[in-house]
Amino acid sequence: AHTVGRCHPHFSGFNGPWTLTPLTFANTYFVDMMNKTWVWDGNQHNAADATMMLASDLNLLNDTSTRAWVEAYAEDESLFFDHFARAFNKLGELGARGLAAVNLDWSLTEWRQPPLTGGAYELKQGLLLTWDPADDTDMVVVTLTLNAEVGWLALAVSASGRMIDEHRSKAIVGTPSGLLKRTLNVKDVTSPELSAVIDDVQDLQNASFTRADGETTIRFTYPLAWFRQYTPVNEERVWLIFAHGPRENPAAPFSYHGLNRGQAQVPNFGARVASSSPPPPSPPESDNLNLQISNKLRLTVTVHDDHTATATLTLSETVPWLGFAVSHSGRMVLPEASRAVVGTPTGVLKRRLRAKDLTSVSRSTEVELNQDLIDSSFVSIDGVSTLRFRTTVDWFKQFANGASDVWFLYAHGELGLATGAFGFHGQNKGSVFVPSFVPSDTPDAFPPSPSPPRSPALQNFKSLADGRLQVSWETEANDAIHFLIHVDTSASWLAMAVSEEGRMVLPNPSSSVIGNTNGVVKATLIAQNPESVEHTLLVDSEQNLIDASFTRGDSYAELSFTISRDWVNKFDPKDDPWFIWAYGPENAQTFGYHGPRRDNFRIDRDLLGLPPATPASPPTASPPPPVAKPPPPPPPPSPRATTPITDYCSESITYRVAECYVSLESLEEPEFDDKYTDYANMRQLTAEYRVAWTVEGDASDGIISMMLQARTTGWVGFGLMGEKVGHGMINTDIWMGNVIDGVVAVHDTWSNSVAMPLKDIDFGHEEDLYDVSGYEENGITTLMFKRSLKVSDDWDYTIVEGDMPVVYSWSRQNKDALSYYHGPTRGFDTLVFIEPTDLSWIWLIALPIVGTVMLMIILFCFVDRIRSRRLRQMAEQRFNEIRQQVNKHVDGAQPRMCFGMALVTAFDFMESGKLVSHEELRNQGKIKMLDTHSQAKSLAKEFSIIFISHQWLSWTKPDPEGVHFKCIVNALRALSKRFNFELEKTYVWVDYCSIPQGNSLLQQLAISDLSEYAALASYFVVVVPPARHVDTHTICNKESYQARGWCRLEQFAKACTGYTQNMFICSGADTREFTPYVSEERQWKMLALQVLEGQFSCCQRTENHTKLDPTLGELECDKDLLKPALLRIYMNAIIRLPDCPLRTQLLENERNIFPDDRFDSDIMMAMREKFDECMVEKSSQHSDGTQEENQILEAVQSPRRITLFSSRAASL
């Protein structure tokens, strides 16, 4: 039965434990076999909790003869234990005789275990790993060489390339002291010895550590199985981790590695020589998907018989990393995190795309715990990069839309951006939509090819998006163009736009035609906002569409419209126009965010019937300079070309722009004028942009006068970015203006996205700029305006004191339209519009005050230091005095008595007829005085001693009416009858008879011996007959008895002996009212531990010592007299009685026994110090005792020492 243990893949090929408690011998194996659901994975049966069963295990259920035993053992664990013990005993006695020898033909297995091959792998630059087979075919000689002298060098084998995951990596660490095997237990940068624990078994062979000539090398011989303990049987790549100490300090011992670490999936580690009889090769498999994504990138997917598929991504470029992902909708993160496989030179890992973070790839791509890739590799060499991996078919299916459509993502690094490391991809990414592709369980199921494009109904045709979308058009006689857009999916909406540079918003908003089931409209794209589509477009006031329609079928959607040719030619009449297409998902009902379903394209001008590009006219502002002879004729037209040429008539260089000659002098930048001198402050932000300002008034009602100047004849902008600085165009208060034909306009705008800012006044906000003026001279635009410092509009920022982040920009192409994109002519800076208030004068006043205060503090600290030292000395002196007092009253070495034990015979007690005082009985010669503990102990062996505990019924007399005396006599007779002893051989101890009443010092000594009296007593009787207190006239019974402090003390003393079976309660003359003490309620008995919380006559008669007693005057509190006795009783019980059954309750209720208002920290500390001293002596005496005794001593001693040290530190 596999009731203990687990399988290891590097030994058997199976992996996992049989039960969740593999180190506990129980019947869990049979219980799990009967109750869990087991799933076959082709190799073993697995349960949801990661436990496993072999096929042979579950066959026990299939055989009726063995199933009965499985059911029996699962139901009765003791039966399984009994049968296992018998079988094991029989095997141990009889041995294993009668086994037959079997001759094995090892030649049949030669091809399975051929000799190992050696190899080398550069883990990182400057770190080389080599391995060679040893004489034994299962041993390898490993050498790790680093091209630097370091303090230590290490190599570890890992399950996933990480130090600690579900497995703990195993490491070999080399230092100048030698090589040690370690287990990576936890990540602790402060203590490497805790993070890498030394193994118990150190069996490395030929291990060495050398450091010389600028190199550090470790070399050792070890079994191959150690390296492959986390590697599947059919996998030849091994995850290895490497690390070393700091280079700058080679003499440093084993310490934290810092950044000097890494991991690599080493190929062919443990590979063997090719066999002469290899297993038959698998039949060739054809590709289920062969897709040319771009001219450089190809994807192939092949499905295998074992429900797995192999994906190969080939890129015609050498890159540091290559990634492939399955996506929900073609986006990385939304609406669900995509699942990716990323290959780097260090290996191939499955990752989860959880966020977009350009600064930290580890936060944006999380490594998954389940690394179940098969045959994974990444190779990038000679201009070709290939990522290949094999995983389950379900991995490709996890985001399948509808029946069979999938989205794939791809990305790669760039050598110039991140050499040799996984980092941000930049623009090297994309997505591809594959319709009707879901790998099935069999390789015969090929995805059908995309449906052929619809035959164009119009004259011209263009196929886009891998044939899924077609655009056709034809020109009409009335200077219009008819467009028909068809997409091979039931899109919720379909749109086409004309753009300036193929982008939606920048540099100028695109004009689009959008169709859905509600109709077709023409709108302007003014912003990019996926969360709020209504803010991204503005419906045009002129809807000049003709015959516009939108059709949506089960598997397609079409948009048809006719529009003026000017719509196509609106942006650049000299070049081929740009267009954008987009459509919505099938499950959407209205117009919304398109996601990745968009792209741009261009159409030749001649195919659209547009006139050819017209050459630009020469500029008139700067005529060509005079030359000695006419310039040579211009070359043939070359649109948009800019080429330096030489003027043969002079030495100056001119430039040819299109067909126009411009002199060098005309290209000189104009100079700014001195208008800034009218303002108090000026800042030259760049060589082309300056800003000047003047602040008038205070921050509450002041104004600011602004001047903006830029080298442009187009628009100029300036903005406040507020407190939360982010993207310069998001949540920014922007002032934009221009000068057109001498007319100056400056607008207060707000930007909430990367698009053209919105005018405040158009959206219900206030226009805060006034006194607007400006001019345009010499190619420089100057804008001037005023604004209040403090504003209440949420689309404006108040100008405050100190630094304020700003953004500025201007039109780079001298465009007056505010919607024209600025391009690179923009920047960020920080300006101080209002200087912070000068508070330096405060220091002139505060400095002397601060100096005086500091001097007083120093003087106070000096005096306080002297005072503290004196207080510590006084505290130490007081503590020594208390320690002497405690030692005087507590002696843990052997039992002793301070006063002795005074007893009276039962016959004399009964003959007296009442309770008689100790002094009177002593004078009558009826007191049996035992001076030592040994005398009392000898007497207790021959005679019975009865301890009587009762409540006094008067302030001065214990039993003025003889009620208790009668009950005591009844108790003596009942005990004699029950336990069959003679009263003539019986002694009685009663407080009034046995404790001195006249001398308080002797009384205190006798009280301190209560624990010894109670321990020596044969029987302990609580006398509680119903009675009335003579002075207070209150009823006295069992409850009032338990409330008295002296009564609690006597019970506490007996309880500290640990023996409560001979304690009784007598509540009357009837024998039925004579009951065992242990039968009482636990809550009633627990009150006996709270001695000082009980009632005392001295406190009742003086109202807690706030008044004088009418008869005796000032009384000393009995609680103070009981403190030494209470300490001695408790300490003697804890120290001398390790087997006391009430020990746990005494320790747990220490705070109730010793309340803080009576026992300060010094007394408790002295008590615990004495306790420790006695326990150390006790421990040495019991060093040869039983294991149980030693455990008790250790359990009691350890926490008390901790309490002592902590209390001592707190007191001092």
Side-chain angles (χ1 to χ4, degrees), residues 1020-1152:
F1020 186 98
V1021 180
V1022 176
V1023 177
V1024 288
R1028 184 177 297 275
H1029 197 279
V1030 174
D1031 297 317
T1032 63
H1033 305 290
T1034 57
I1035 298 298
C1036 298
N1037 51 21
K1038 184 174 67 174
E1039 304 302 329
S1040 64
Y1041 164 85
Q1042 193 65 303
R1044 302 295 297 172
W1046 286 102
C1047 298
R1048 291 183 179 184
L1049 176 66
E1050 293 170 350
Q1051 296 176 75
F1052 175 72
K1054 182 60 178 177
C1056 286
T1057 65
Y1059 302 101
T1060 57
Q1061 64 271 23
N1062 287 341
M1063 296 179 66
F1064 299 91
I1065 295 178
C1066 183
S1067 57
D1070 195 341
T1071 56
R1072 291 176 299 180
E1073 298 174 322
F1074 187 79
T1075 58
Y1077 182 88
V1078 294
S1079 63
E1080 296 297 327
E1081 296 181 356
R1082 184 178 184 276
Q1083 184 176 2
W1084 185 84
K1085 292 185 290 186
M1086 290 297 294
L1087 292 175
L1089 300 179
Q1090 305 176 19
V1091 176
L1092 297 185
E1093 300 296 330
Q1095 300 174 0
F1096 290 86
S1097 300
C1098 62
C1099 299
Q1100 291 179 305
R1101 295 170 64 179
T1102 60
E1103 298 183 8
N1104 291 327
H1105 300 278
T1106 59
K1107 297 181 180 180
L1108 297 178
D1109 182 74
T1111 304
L1112 302 177
E1114 183 177 0
L1115 297 179
E1116 185 177 2
C1117 185
D1118 292 342
K1119 295 182 180 181
D1120 294 330
L1121 298 176
L1122 289 181
K1123 287 164 55 177
L1126 203 59
L1127 280 171
R1128 185 165 183 266
I1129 293 171
Y1130 177 80
M1131 292 292 290
N1132 285 341
I1134 298 299
I1135 294 174
R1136 295 211 315 268
L1137 301 174
D1139 56 345
C1140 175
L1142 299 179
R1143 172 185 295 277
T1144 303
Q1145 298 182 20
L1146 294 176
L1147 293 173
E1148 292 178 350
N1149 290 274
E1150 185 181 86
R1151 287 295 181 187
N1152 296 327

Side-chain angles (χ1 to χ4, degrees), residues 39 75 260 310 340 354 561-562 570 717 934 1146 1151:
V39 180
E75 182 177 355
N260 304 317
T310 299
R354 53 180 296 188
F561 63 92
T562 302
K570 66 176 296 183
S934 58
L1146 294 176
R1151 287 295 181 187

Side-chain angles (χ1 to χ4, degrees), residues 552-563:
R552 183 181 185 186
D554 294 337
S555 60
Y556 75 97
E558 285 185 348
L559 172 64
S560 175
F561 63 92
T562 302
I563 195 169

Side-chain angles (χ1 to χ4, degrees), residues 12 71 117 214 226 254 257 264 305 326 390 447 484 527 622 743 802 838 882 935 953 958 990 993 1001 1015 1061 1123 1185:
S12 64
E71 295 174 349
T117 62
W226 184 85
F254 183 43
H257 50 68
D305 293 329
V326 290
R390 183 173 177 178
L484 175 63
S622 300
V743 179
D838 185 11
I882 293 175
Q935 294 177 355
L953 301 180
V990 185
C993 303
L1001 294 178
Q1061 64 271 23
K1123 287 164 55 177

Side-chain angles (χ1 to χ4, degrees), residues 638-644 655-658:
S638 179
R640 305 181 68 88
T642 302
T643 309
Y655 288 81
R656 185 176 69 244
V657 180

Side-chain angles (χ1 to χ4, degrees), residues 859-905:
L859 182 61
F860 174 79
C861 293
F862 179 73
V863 174
D864 184 69
R865 184 181 180 86
I866 298 177
R867 175 177 171 274
S868 300
R869 183 181 300 173
R870 177 59 180 164
L871 290 176
R872 283 197 298 270
Q873 293 174 353
M874 294 173 61
E876 288 290 343
Q877 181 178 358
R878 179 177 179 274
F879 179 73
N880 291 332
E881 295 174 356
I882 293 175
R883 178 191 293 155
Q884 294 175 1
Q885 296 177 11
V886 171
N887 292 340
K888 178 181 178 181
H889 292 287
V890 179
D891 184 2
Q894 59 183 1
R896 67 178 181 85
M897 291 190 295
C898 299
F899 173 74
M901 191 173 186
L903 300 173
V904 59
T905 63

Side-chain angles (χ1 to χ4, degrees), residues 872 875 878-879 1161-1162 1165 1205-1212:
R872 283 197 298 270
R878 179 177 179 274
F879 179 73
S1161 59
D1162 285 340
M1165 203 178 330
F1205 296 150
S1206 60
S1207 302
R1208 186 70 175 150
S1211 174
L1212 297 181

Side-chain angles (χ1 to χ4, degrees), residues 1-5 18-19 21-30 80-81 84:
H2 291 131
T3 188
V4 292
W18 279 274
T19 68
T21 55
L23 300 181
T24 302
F25 188 80
N27 69 334
T28 316
Y29 168 76
F30 302 103
F80 169 61
F81 285 175
F84 182 87

